[in-house]
Amino acid sequence: MPTSFTVVPVEAQDEERQRNGQQREEEDEGDERDRGTGDGIARESSPFIGSAELGRGNMYEGKNMALFEEEMDSNPMVSSLLNKLANYTNLTQGVVEHEADEDSKRKEVKGPQMGTFIGVYLPCLQNILGVILFLRLTWIVGTAGVLESFIIVFMCCACTMLTAISMSAIATNGVVPAGGSYYMISRSLGPEFGGAVGLCFYLGTTFAGAMYILGTIEILLTYISPSAAIFKVADVGEETEAMLNNMRVYGTCIIILMAIVVFVGVKYVNKLALVFLACVILSIIAIYAGVIKTAFDPPDFPICLLGNRTLSKRSFDVCAKYTESNNETKTTLLWRLFCDSSLLNATCDDYFSLNNVTEIQGIPGIMSGVLTDNLWSAYSEKGSIVEKKDQPSVAGSEESKMGGLPYVFTDIMTYFTMLVGIYFPSVTGIMAGSNRSGDLKDAQKSIPTGTILAISTTSFIYLSCIVLFGACIEGVILRDKFGEAVNGNLVVGTLAWPSPWVIVIGSFFSTCGAGLQSLTGAPRLLQAIARDGIVPFIQIFGHGKANGEPTWALLLTAGICEIGILIASLDSVAPILSMFFLMCYMFVNLACAVQTLLRTPNWRPRFKYYHWTLSFLGMSLCLALMFICSWYYALIAMLIAGCIYKYIEYRGAEKEWGDGIRGLSLNAARYALLRVEDGPPHTKNWRPQLLVLLNLDNEQLVKHPRLLSFTSQLKAGKGLTIVGSVLQGIYLDKCMETQKAEENVKALMGVEKTKGFCQIVVSPNFRDGISYLIQSAGLGGMKHNTVLMAWPQSWKQTENRFSWKNFVDTVRETTAAQQALLVAKNIDLFPTNQERFTEGNIDVWWIVHDGGMLMLLPFLLRQHKVWRKCKMRIFTVAQMDDNSIQMKKDLQMFLYHLRLNAQVEVVEMFENDISAFTYEKTLMMEQRSQMLKQMQLSKNEREREAQLIHDKNTASRSAPAVEASVAAAVPEKVQMTWTKEKFVAEKHKNKDSNMSGFKDIFNMKPNQSNVRRMHTAVKLNGVVLNKSQHAQLVLLNMPGPPKNRKGDENYMEFLEVLTEGLDRVLLVRGSGREVITIYS
C-alpha cells in the first residue's frame, strides 16, 4: 500500500512539533487558510522543493491535496468535516433545517448524558401509567369481567408494542431531532401526512391534558375533600349534573393555574417530573403489597346489600333495618330511607320489606376464590342498580320508585367497545423517549431498548392488575365506579397497603404532573409544526418569548384544553384523545411499512427486529381499534386529518424531505409506465398528449403566455402535457440560463394552471433543439402525440431565429414522427383562462380527412368554461361533381353517430378562371423569394468585398509584384493570395453579376404550380371569411409543405393568404391515424 511520508532532520524535530501544534490549534479554532489557483498561491511561488526562501515547515504545506484545492470551497476536506458530523447535536426541529445554518448558530452546549433508564424508560413509565389505572381500571374489570378486560388490555398493549417496534426502526434510521412522532411521520410520509398527523397528535396531547385535569378534580372532590364542591346536590338525581358543573369550574381554574406555571418556568415542571413519577411507582408498589397482604389478612371493608342490590353507605352508618338495644327495637337510618316514618308499622318500599339486609366483605382476599365470580362481564344500562350475582332476592312491585333510595347506580351505559375507548389512553405515552432524543447519550440504542422495556413493564402491570383485582375484590365493589359502597373510598385504594391514602395522594400528584407535562409538550409540538411552515394559518404559533418558549401556542393549547374541561366527563374525553393517538400510531406503522417495502437506499435502521408484516399488523390493529372505540369519532378524526391534508396540499409550502410517499409515487409511476404499452393507444382512449413549443425572449421569459392558457383550456388537466423550449448555445455556458428559463416556465404554468412537465433543451442550433424535443420528449408509453406551437408572426424577417425555415422543418418532422400538429395563429388574441365567451361559434372547416382531429378538438375545448357557451359549426367544401345535399345528410348522420352536437353546412366551390389578382400575388411572392435569395448572396459578396479591400491594403504595403499571403480580416475566413490585376477583375465581375441578377427578378414569370396553389388559397380564404369572419375560433386543415424544399418560403405565403383576415385560427394537421370513433 503506497504511503506518503516526509523526512524531517533530527535537529528540526522540536521545531516541527511546535509548528504542527500551532497548525492543530488553528484548525480547532476553525480559521480558513487563503486559497488560490495554480501558481498564484503564495506558498507555491517557487516551483523548486529545495528553495532557500521557504522554511522547512512550509515546504510541503498544501501539496498533498493540491489536486482538489480548487473545489475546497464547495467540497470541504473530510478531516475538517468529520468532527461536525460525529458531534452532531440535535436542535429543536423546525428552527434550523440545514447544517449550513446550524454552523453559524450553534453554541457551546453541554453534551447529552442521559442513558436508557433515565432518558427513555422512566419518562415512558410516567406517561403510560396514569389516571386510568387508578380511577377506571377496577371499574373496567368489574364491568367487562377478567377475561374481556384481559382482551381489551392485550389488544391495546399489542397495538403500542407493534407501534414501538416500527417507531424504533424509524428512530434508529438516522438522527431524530425534537418533535418526536411528528418529525418521524413528516420526514417518512411527507409534509401532507406529517402536518395532518402532527396536528392530530397535538390535539390528542392537548385533550390528554384535559383528561388528566378532570382526573385530578375527580380525585379531589370525590375522595379527598367532597365538601369543597361549589354546586351542592339539592334534589335527588342531580348528583351527576352537580359533579359536572364542579368539574367545569375547578377545571377552568386549574388550567389557568397550570398555564401560568408553564409560562413562568418550564424548568420547574421538568424538575418535578421525577417527584410525580415517584408517586406513581409508590402507588403501584402499595397495590402489590396490599394484594400480598390479602392472602393472610384481608382488610375490613364491609358492603351492605339489600337482597342482591348494593347500598351506598354515604347516607347511613348501620347496615341493618333495626337494632336491639336494652330489649328495645329501634329503626335505623336505613329504615327511614326506605319507609315513610321511623315506626315499625310504617309503610316501606316493597323490595325493602321483602328482602333482608346482609353484609359481606368487599375485599375477601386473593385466596377466597372470588376470581371465578368475576370472570364474566356484567354490562348494564344507564341508571341500573349494581347487583351481586347469585345472591338471593325477591322481586318487589314494578311501581316502586328507585329515585332517592340509597342504591349504587351506574352512571353510563356500558358495553365492550366503549370500555376500549376509555381504557386506551392508559397505554399512550410511548413517544416520550423519542421526544427526548436530543438529550440522550446514544439515542439509537436507548430509544428502542427503553421504549420496548417500558411497554413490557406497563403491560405486565396492567395485565397482572386485572387478574389480581378480579381475584381480590368483590364484583359489586369493582363495578362501583366512585366507591359509594365503601364510604366513598377510592376502590383501588381499599386494596392498597398500608393505607388508601397512599393511592389517593399518589394518584392526585401523578395526574397533576401528567397534566403539566401535556401543557408543556403540546405547545412545543405545535411550535415545531408552525416553524416548519407547512400549514400557513398556524405560522403565528411558531413565535414565542425571546428564549423560544411558545407563548402563543400555549394560549391556544389552554383554549383547546378548556373545550375538554367543558365536556367535563372523563369517560367522554378519553375516546376523543384515543382517536387522535390511534391515528398517529397508525401512520407511524404505515411509515415503517412503506419505507421497508420501498427498500430506499437511505433506509438503514440500526434496530433490526422489525418487519413490514408487523407494521401492517400494527396499522390494521390501530384502524380496528379506532372503529371499535367509536365509529363516529373515528370518522370525525379522519375527516379532520383529511381536511388538513388537502389544505396543506393546496396551500401549504412545498417541502422536499425525501419522504416515503414520494418514493411510493415513483414506484407506482414506474410500474404504470411499464404496464402502458409502448405502441399507440386504442382510438377510444386517444386524447391529445401535447408537446407545447414555447419561444423565450432574451430574459428567458415566455413570449406568448396565452399558448399555455390555450393548452389548459384544451387539456382541462387531463392527459400528458410537456412544455418545451430551446436555448441556443452550449449547455456548459447556458446551464444558469436554463435553470432560470425552467423556473420562469414553471411559474407561468402555475399561473395558467397548466398541469404538466417542463423540459428545456440547449442546442447549438435552434432547429436541432426542436428536433430533439420532438424525438425524445416523454418516457416509455407516456409520450406526446401532438405538437402545439404558435405561428411565427415575424417569419418574413430573416433575423428572427424562429424563421420560416425552422417552422417548415418542424412541420415536416412532426409528419415524419407520425404526430399531429396544431398551429395557433394570432395567439395573442386568444382568450385567457379568466375570460368567458357568452356567445359565438367555433367553426370547423373540414376540407380533407386526416384522422378526425378537427371533430375532436372543438368538443374538448367546449368542456372548458371559456368556450362552454360557444356553438360548434362544421363546414365542408363540395366540388363541381359532388352532391351537396347528400353530403350534408351524410355529415349529419356521421356527427349523430359520433355523439357530437354541431350545425352542418356544405359550401360549394365551382371551378373558375384564375383571377389577375391571384396571378399578381403569385408573381409578387416569387419575386420576393428571388429577391431574398439575391439579398442573401449580396450579403455574402459584401463580406467578400471587405476581405478584398483588406487584402488590397495589405498588398500595397508589401514589395511590388510579390505575392503576399494575407491574414483574414474576419475570423474563420479562407485565406487567399491576390495580385492587383486579379483584384480589379474580380471586383468588376461581381458588380456585373449582381446587376444582372436583380434585372432578372423583374422579367420573371410565375410558376404555374404556384399559381394554382395561390388560387386555392385565395378562394378558400374568401369562402372562410364570408362564413366565419366573426367566429370566436376557426379550425382549418393545414396543408402539408411541398416535397421540393426549394418552395418552402412559398408555402409560408400560401398559409398566410389562407388565414388572412381571421382573428383566431388553429391550423390542424393530423397524424394520419383515426382519433375518433362511432363505437362505444
Side-chain angles (χ1 to χ4, degrees):
M1 179 176 178
T3 307
S4 297
F5 61 92
T6 304
V7 179
V8 181
V10 176
E11 61 271 11
Q13 283 184 357
D14 295 335
E15 181 183 351
E16 187 71 15
R17 289 193 190 99
Q18 292 179 355
R19 190 173 293 107
N20 288 338
Q22 292 174 0
Q23 287 179 1
R24 282 194 295 271
E25 290 176 4
E26 290 173 0
E27 287 175 1
D28 292 340
E29 292 170 3
D31 296 335
E32 295 183 357
R33 296 178 176 85
D34 295 331
R35 299 188 184 97
T37 57
D39 295 333
I41 305 175
R43 60 175 178 262
E44 292 186 353
S45 57
S46 174
F48 303 108
I49 295 178
S51 174
E53 299 173 1
L54 296 175
R56 284 176 177 168
N58 296 331
M59 189 177 296
Y60 301 108
E61 183 181 359
K63 296 294 190 300
N64 287 342
M65 295 298 161
L67 189 61
F68 300 95
E69 64 186 5
E70 293 187 4
E71 299 178 342
M72 289 292 185
D73 293 333
S74 58
N75 302 332
M77 287 290 296
V78 173
S79 56
S80 63
L81 189 66
L82 279 177
N83 186 46
K84 296 179 182 178
L85 292 176
N87 296 321
Y88 178 85
T89 58
N90 297 322
L91 301 179
T92 303
Q93 192 276 327
V95 179
V96 177
E97 190 66 31
H98 300 288
E99 294 174 16
D101 298 328
E102 183 182 325
D103 290 338
S104 60
K105 297 185 179 181
R106 182 174 297 166
K107 298 178 181 179
E108 288 294 328
V109 293
K110 189 177 179 180
Q113 296 296 327
M114 285 190 180
T116 303
F117 186 75
I118 298 294
V120 180
Y121 182 74
L122 291 182
C124 285
L125 277 185
Q126 182 186 1
N127 280 267
I128 295 172
L129 300 172
V131 63
I132 301 295
L133 171 64
F134 302 118
L135 296 184
R136 292 293 182 269
L137 190 59
T138 53
W139 174 69
I140 291 172
V141 173
T143 305
V146 173
L147 292 179
E148 291 186 24
S149 299
F150 199 90
I151 293 172
I152 292 173
V153 175
F154 182 80
M155 277 198 309
C156 296
C157 292
C159 175
T160 54
M161 179 62 79
L162 292 171
T163 304
I165 292 172
S166 299
M167 184 198 71
S168 299
I170 298 173
T172 57
N173 187 50
V175 182
V176 179
S181 60
Y182 161 69
Y183 183 91
M184 289 188 290
I185 294 171
S186 62
R187 269 54 177 182
S188 297
L189 293 180
E192 293 88 0
F193 277 110
V197 180
L199 285 177
C200 285
F201 189 55
Y202 162 74
L203 291 173
T205 308
T206 305
F207 275 104
M211 184 188 74
Y212 291 130
I213 291 170
L214 290 173
T216 303
I217 302 164
E218 184 176 312
I219 294 169
L220 176 67
L221 296 182
T222 307
Y223 307 114
I224 296 178
S225 178
S227 59
I230 297 174
F231 294 91
K232 306 293 183 182
V233 180
D235 298 323
V236 176
E238 294 183 356
E239 296 90 348
T240 304
E241 188 63 34
M243 185 64 178
L244 294 179
N245 289 329
N246 286 321
M247 291 271 198
R248 293 182 180 111
V249 173
Y250 275 96
T252 304
C253 297
I254 290 179
I255 277 184
I256 295 171
L257 183 63
M258 285 186 174
I260 292 172
V261 170
V262 172
F263 178 79
V264 170
V266 181
K267 57 183 179 180
Y268 301 114
V269 178
N270 294 331
K271 286 180 180 179
L272 290 173
L274 286 176
V275 177
F276 298 139
L277 177 60
C279 293
V280 175
I281 294 173
L282 286 174
S283 301
I284 293 171
I285 292 173
I287 293 172
Y288 282 109
V291 169
I292 295 171
K293 183 175 177 292
T294 62
F296 52 87
D297 184 17
D300 183 27
F301 278 100
I303 307 168
C304 191
L305 298 176
L306 176 61
N308 65 350
R309 297 177 178 178
T310 310
L311 297 177
S312 171
K313 279 198 171 182
R314 291 179 184 270
S315 307
F316 62 93
D317 50 358
V318 179
C319 182
K321 293 183 179 181
Y322 40 81
T323 57
E324 297 284 342
S325 176
N326 298 326
N327 295 324
E328 183 180 357
T329 301
K330 293 183 179 178
T331 57
T332 61
L333 287 175
L334 182 62
W335 177 280
R336 293 165 198 165
L337 290 172
F338 282 92
C339 303
D340 56 3
S341 72
S342 59
L343 301 176
L344 290 173
N345 58 355
T347 304
C348 298
D349 180 77
D350 283 348
Y351 189 85
F352 181 76
S353 303
L354 295 173
N355 290 277
N356 295 324
V357 176
T358 56
E359 197 171 53
I360 62 172
Q361 276 299 324
I363 303 179
I366 195 169
M367 307 300 291
S368 63
V370 74
L371 178 63
T372 55
D373 297 331
N374 293 330
L375 282 177
W376 311 109
S377 61
Y379 299 117
S380 59
E381 297 290 329
K382 180 180 179 181
S384 60
I385 301 172
V386 176
E387 298 177 344
K388 177 174 171 52
K389 301 174 185 176
D390 304 327
Q391 184 76 10
S393 171
V394 179
S397 172
E398 295 292 335
E399 298 178 359
S400 61
K401 295 181 180 179
M402 300 290 185
L405 299 179
Y407 293 126
V408 177
F409 295 97
T410 56
D411 61 333
I412 56 174
M413 184 175 69
T414 54
Y415 44 91
F416 180 81
T417 57
M418 189 229 16
L419 295 180
V420 175
I422 292 176
Y423 173 76
F424 187 80
S426 65
V427 296
T428 60
I430 62 173
M431 302 288 184
S434 62
N435 290 344
R436 297 174 178 235
S437 59
D439 301 323
L440 300 174
K441 189 185 300 182
D442 186 358
Q444 298 194 356
K445 178 183 175 183
S446 298
I447 289 177
T449 307
T451 306
I452 292 174
L453 279 178
I455 293 175
S456 302
T457 305
T458 53
S459 299
F460 172 77
I461 291 172
Y462 282 128
L463 292 172
S464 62
C465 282
I466 286 173
V467 176
L468 294 176
F469 290 164
C472 294
I473 305 175
E474 183 62 51
V476 289
I477 297 295
L478 290 173
R479 293 192 294 278
D480 183 7
K481 185 187 289 186
F482 301 108
E484 294 179 8
V486 285
N487 299 320
N489 281 302
L490 184 62
V491 174
V492 70
T494 61
L495 184 62
W497 181 85
S499 168
W501 285 101
V502 175
I503 300 290
V504 173
I505 301 301
S507 60
F508 177 78
F509 281 112
S510 71
T511 50
C512 278
L516 277 173
Q517 291 285 353
S518 296
L519 282 181
T520 304
R524 278 158 181 73
L525 178 59
L526 182 63
Q527 186 182 45
I529 300 172
R531 285 181 170 175
D532 257 349
I534 59 174
V535 186
F537 70 86
I538 66 166
Q539 287 187 358
I540 187 175
F541 299 109
H543 306 296
K545 293 193 292 186
N547 60 353
E549 292 297 322
T551 308
W552 293 107
L554 177 62
L555 289 176
L556 179 66
T557 303
I560 297 174
C561 204
E562 177 65 19
I563 296 174
I565 295 299
L566 294 177
I567 296 174
S569 171
L570 188 148
D571 301 321
S572 300
V573 173
I576 296 176
L577 64 102
S578 294
M579 291 302 114
F580 293 123
F581 278 119
L582 279 167
M583 183 170 291
C584 176
Y585 296 165
M586 180 176 70
F587 280 101
V588 169
N589 285 297
L590 175 63
C592 181
V594 167
Q595 296 280 29
T596 307
L597 289 174
L598 287 178
R599 296 189 182 94
T600 50
N602 191 52
W603 180 247
R604 305 184 300 273
R606 289 189 177 276
F607 181 77
K608 300 299 182 184
Y609 306 101
Y610 69 93
H611 196 266
W612 66 268
T613 53
L614 294 177
S615 299
F616 266 113
L617 181 62
M619 183 180 69
S620 304
L621 191 55
C622 289
L623 187 63
L625 285 173
M626 285 179 69
F627 283 92
I628 286 173
C629 293
S630 175
W631 64 268
Y632 47 89
Y633 278 162
L635 292 178
I636 292 172
M638 288 181 172
L639 180 64
I640 293 172
C643 291
I644 298 170
Y645 178 94
K646 296 305 292 183
Y647 177 81
I648 296 172
E649 187 180 52
Y650 179 66
R651 291 290 304 276
E654 293 184 3
K655 299 282 183 181
E656 178 50 67
W657 288 330
D659 52 88
I661 292 298
R662 182 171 176 81
L664 196 63
S665 302
L666 290 173
N667 264 22
R670 181 187 63 85
Y671 177 77
L673 281 172
L674 292 174
R675 289 290 303 271
V676 173
E677 294 181 5
D678 201 14
H682 192 273
T683 304
K684 290 186 289 186
N685 297 327
W686 195 95
R687 66 165 58 246
Q689 316 284 11
L690 291 181
L691 169 61
V692 185
L693 298 179
L694 293 180
N695 201 6
L696 305 179
D697 59 17
N698 294 330
E699 298 295 325
Q700 315 308 330
L701 298 173
V702 178
K703 279 189 176 180
H704 303 293
R706 297 204 180 190
L707 195 61
L708 286 179
S709 303
F710 183 70
T711 302
S712 61
Q713 293 160 21
L714 184 62
K715 300 291 291 181
K718 303 294 190 299
L720 175 70
T721 302
I722 301 173
V723 180
S725 187
V726 177
L727 296 182
Q728 197 163 354
I730 305 299
Y731 183 71
L732 288 177
D733 302 331
K734 294 279 187 178
C735 56
M736 296 303 295
E737 294 181 28
T738 304
Q739 292 178 6
K740 182 181 177 183
E742 189 170 348
E743 290 172 2
N744 293 339
V745 172
K746 284 183 177 179
L748 185 61
M749 289 172 68
V751 171
E752 299 294 343
K753 297 181 180 178
T754 304
K755 296 180 180 179
F757 307 99
C758 174
Q759 189 167 350
I760 306 295
V761 171
V762 180
S763 172
N765 184 290
F766 191 77
R767 177 200 169 286
D768 290 343
I770 296 292
S771 178
Y772 298 157
L773 280 174
I774 292 174
Q775 293 177 64
S776 61
L779 182 63
M782 288 295 288
K783 293 181 72 71
H784 62 278
N785 54 29
T786 305
V787 176
L788 172 62
M789 59 193 301
W791 173 264
Q793 298 288 354
S794 55
W795 65 271
K796 296 181 182 180
Q797 301 175 9
T798 56
E799 292 80 7
N800 182 26
R801 63 178 181 177
F802 202 108
S803 63
W804 56 268
K805 188 73 174 171
N806 293 332
F807 178 81
V808 177
D809 285 341
T810 302
V811 176
R812 284 197 175 97
E813 287 181 349
T814 54
T815 305
Q818 296 183 337
Q819 296 173 5
L821 177 65
L822 307 179
V823 179
K825 195 165 185 289
N826 301 325
I827 185 61
D828 293 328
L829 298 179
F830 276 59
T832 63
N833 289 327
Q834 285 71 40
E835 296 181 39
R836 303 286 183 275
F837 287 135
T838 56
E839 58 181 1
N841 300 312
I842 299 176
D843 287 356
V844 177
W845 284 85
W846 191 22
I847 300 168
V848 295
H849 180 66
D850 56 357
M853 278 275 293
L854 283 169
M855 307 291 181
L856 189 61
L857 291 175
F859 170 78
L860 295 175
L861 280 175
R862 291 180 68 238
Q863 306 302 308
H864 196 273
K865 50 193 172 184
V866 173
W867 306 91
R868 189 164 293 155
K869 294 187 177 179
C870 293
K871 295 179 180 179
M872 180 176 168
R873 297 193 302 180
I874 295 183
F875 298 90
T876 189
V877 176
Q879 298 297 317
M880 180 74 71
D881 300 331
D882 295 330
N883 185 343
S884 59
I885 298 174
Q886 187 61 38
M887 281 181 64
K888 184 173 182 180
K889 289 182 179 179
D890 292 343
L891 183 55
Q892 287 174 336
M893 182 58 66
F894 181 57
L895 292 177
Y896 175 77
H897 288 310
L898 288 175
R899 290 92 64 200
L900 294 175
N901 296 320
Q903 181 183 340
V904 176
E905 189 169 341
V906 178
V907 179
E908 295 180 347
M909 282 183 62
F910 300 108
E911 293 288 343
N912 55 5
D913 295 334
I914 297 173
S915 65
F917 171 76
T918 303
Y919 191 87
E920 183 181 354
K921 199 163 185 71
T922 308
L923 182 61
M924 289 175 60
M925 176 188 72
E926 293 190 353
Q927 286 176 346
R928 178 184 174 280
S929 177
Q930 191 65 27
M931 189 177 295
L932 284 173
K933 290 180 180 178
Q934 292 294 340
M935 288 173 64
Q936 186 68 25
L937 288 173
S938 63
K939 179 182 178 183
N940 294 338
E941 292 301 334
R942 283 198 302 272
E943 292 179 357
R944 191 172 181 184
E945 188 173 344
Q947 172 75 32
L948 297 177
I949 293 170
H950 180 274
D951 291 343
K952 177 187 174 183
N953 294 334
T954 307
S956 64
R957 288 195 294 269
S958 63
V962 178
E963 291 186 357
S965 296
V966 183
V970 182
E972 298 182 1
K973 293 292 182 181
V974 179
Q975 293 186 352
M976 305 173 70
T977 304
W978 292 87
T979 62
K980 186 175 181 181
E981 291 77 9
K982 284 183 180 181
F983 169 73
V984 174
E986 185 68 24
K987 183 177 179 182
H988 287 290
K989 178 182 175 182
N990 290 335
K991 284 185 179 180
D992 293 342
S993 62
N994 287 340
M995 291 303 296
S996 62
F998 281 107
K999 286 177 183 178
D1000 290 340
I1001 291 174
F1002 299 102
N1003 296 329
M1004 65 185 296
K1005 292 183 179 181
N1007 182 284
Q1008 288 303 313
S1009 176
N1010 288 339
V1011 171
R1012 286 188 297 106
R1013 289 175 178 169
M1014 182 63 74
H1015 173 69
T1016 304
V1018 171
K1019 284 203 69 177
L1020 268 178
N1021 178 254
V1023 172
V1024 173
L1025 276 178
N1026 183 38
K1027 297 288 185 179
S1028 305
Q1029 188 169 10
H1030 301 293
Q1032 302 292 6
L1033 179 64
V1034 177
L1035 283 79
L1036 272 169
N1037 279 118
M1038 181 179 180
K1043 294 181 179 179
N1044 184 4
R1045 292 177 178 266
K1046 293 181 180 179
D1048 286 356
E1049 62 272 23
N1050 299 335
Y1051 172 69
M1052 298 294 292
E1053 193 71 48
F1054 294 145
L1055 294 181
E1056 195 75 66
V1057 171
L1058 180 63
T1059 58
E1060 191 174 2
L1062 298 172
D1063 288 340
R1064 303 181 193 91
V1065 182
L1066 187 66
L1067 295 171
V1068 181
R1069 182 164 175 76
S1071 61
R1073 60 161 294 173
E1074 292 294 332
V1075 300
I1076 193 167
T1077 178
I1078 64 174
Y1079 299 105
S1080 61

